[in-house]
Amino acid sequence: MKVVSYNVNGIRSAASKGLFDWLEISLPDVVCLQELKAQEDQIDTKTLEEIGYSSYFFHAAKKKGYSGVGLLSKTKPDFVQIGMGIPKYDDEGRVIRADFGPITIICVYIPSGTTGDARQAYKMEFLSDFAQYIAELRQERKEVLICGDYNICHKAIDINNPDKHTTMSGFLPEEREWFDQFVATGLIDTFRVFDKSPERYTWWSFRARSKGKNLGWRIDYHLLSEEARRRLKSASIFREIEYSDHCPVRVELDMSI
């Protein structure tokens, strides 16, 4: 099973730049999308169906053109759950769960705290409640893959010039401590199993991109529960794909085991 996670920074814009063409060529089994910035009736689901995908979307209920997540799958899931059941987060369309046989895939778009103290506080509340949601889920579903834009660089190796970013949302000590505690519950950063080199980023500012500078942040992850470690075959970053200010990340799981 090949699973791609991608913050598209607006699915309509990404589609106009060739996102659906890329999907038709690469054909991952499951695609987790973040930051749709669209309502479901604004998304070209007909083309997705023609490519071979069932699609499930969760948009922001109170602020159109904001946030939103989606999950595409070549095989229909056994079960789909939209949201965490917590209105203050579900109003922003941030989580979708889908079960495929023994494995549960979560698509998450963790809030950014870059716009001020209130949003940073909201982000920290989300992180706490999301960790609790996952802990409760794992009591029922042992094999879990949590895909998405976490808006956090976990380690110094995951960000350019780490010493300059310690007071910035996304690399704050309390955010990194949350990440430490989250993975300590038995989660694997799949990419780092295969690649421990520096400067392996998934997001770059427009300025850095336009100047061709590799000054980025690795904030997009596939975290896999230890119970599913035996299935892990590969994990990679598609740095050559540029339909967004992020790039896709992929993990491959062996579901025959």
Side-chain angles (χ1 to χ4, degrees):
M1 176 187 282
K2 296 177 181 178
V3 183
V4 166
S5 180
Y6 193 10
N7 179 319
V8 292
N9 191 25
I11 191 170
R12 289 171 291 175
S13 174
S16 72
K17 297 173 184 176
L19 172 64
F20 291 175
D21 296 329
W22 176 70
L23 286 176
E24 188 169 15
I25 293 169
S26 56
L27 285 178
D29 298 291
V30 178
V31 185
C32 294
L33 302 173
Q34 303 90 42
E35 204 168 359
L36 300 177
K37 295 183 178 179
Q39 307 299 105
E40 188 168 357
D41 60 6
Q42 296 174 310
I43 300 171
D44 185 2
T45 55
K46 182 178 180 181
T47 295
L48 290 171
E49 289 174 6
E50 290 171 352
I51 296 172
Y53 287 108
S54 299
S55 56
Y56 308 87
F57 297 106
F58 190 26
H59 56 76
K62 294 187 176 180
K63 190 175 179 181
K64 292 185 177 181
Y66 175 75
S67 187
V69 291
L71 187 143
L72 316 177
S73 60
K74 288 168 63 179
T75 302
K76 287 191 175 182
D78 303 319
F79 174 79
V80 175
Q81 182 183 61
I82 303 297
M84 292 196 295
I86 303 176
K88 68 178 180 179
Y89 309 129
D90 292 350
D91 284 347
E92 295 191 357
R94 293 196 173 272
V95 175
I96 291 179
R97 163 192 170 185
D99 296 349
F100 299 87
I103 196 155
T104 290
I105 296 178
I106 302 290
C107 176
V108 61
Y109 179 32
I110 288 176
S112 169
T114 57
T115 57
D117 291 345
R119 286 303 289 181
Q120 183 63 35
Y122 176 88
K123 178 180 184 178
M124 297 308 298
E125 291 170 3
F126 180 95
L127 291 173
S128 177
D129 290 337
F130 181 68
Q132 182 62 35
Y133 165 76
I134 294 297
E136 292 175 2
L137 173 64
R138 290 178 65 194
Q139 294 298 310
E140 170 195 353
R141 302 283 296 177
K142 300 299 182 183
E143 299 189 35
V144 178
L145 179 67
I146 310 164
C147 316
D149 177 357
Y150 282 65
N151 267 312
I152 301 172
C153 289
H154 184 200
K155 304 285 189 180
I157 195 176
D158 297 318
I159 191 171
N160 76 92
N161 299 316
D163 292 343
K164 296 182 179 180
H165 293 99
T166 55
T167 60
M168 293 183 64
S169 179
F171 199 59
L172 295 174
E174 57 266 36
E175 295 172 330
R176 297 173 63 199
E177 181 181 0
W178 174 87
F179 215 124
D180 285 339
Q181 294 174 354
F182 194 49
V183 297
T185 64
L187 298 171
I188 306 159
D189 180 349
T190 58
F191 178 74
R192 287 303 184 199
V193 171
F194 300 96
D195 191 332
K196 295 178 172 58
S197 58
E199 300 183 358
R200 302 293 284 148
Y201 309 131
T202 64
W203 176 86
W204 299 262
S205 69
F206 176 77
R207 170 182 277 186
R209 259 183 205 272
S210 64
K211 293 186 176 182
K213 294 183 178 180
N214 189 28
L215 301 176
W217 299 42
R218 189 172 76 97
I219 56 178
D220 302 271
Y221 298 83
H222 289 290
L223 299 186
L224 182 68
S225 62
E226 285 284 355
E227 293 89 340
R229 179 185 283 270
R230 71 193 187 283
R231 300 191 189 278
L232 181 59
K233 294 183 66 178
S234 67
S236 55
I237 297 173
F238 286 100
R239 296 184 66 171
E240 70 278 12
I241 304 299
E242 295 187 359
Y243 305 133
S244 167
D245 53 354
H246 292 246
C247 61
V249 293
R250 184 179 72 173
V251 67
E252 185 173 0
L253 305 176
D254 185 346
M255 298 306 296
S256 68
I257 299 173

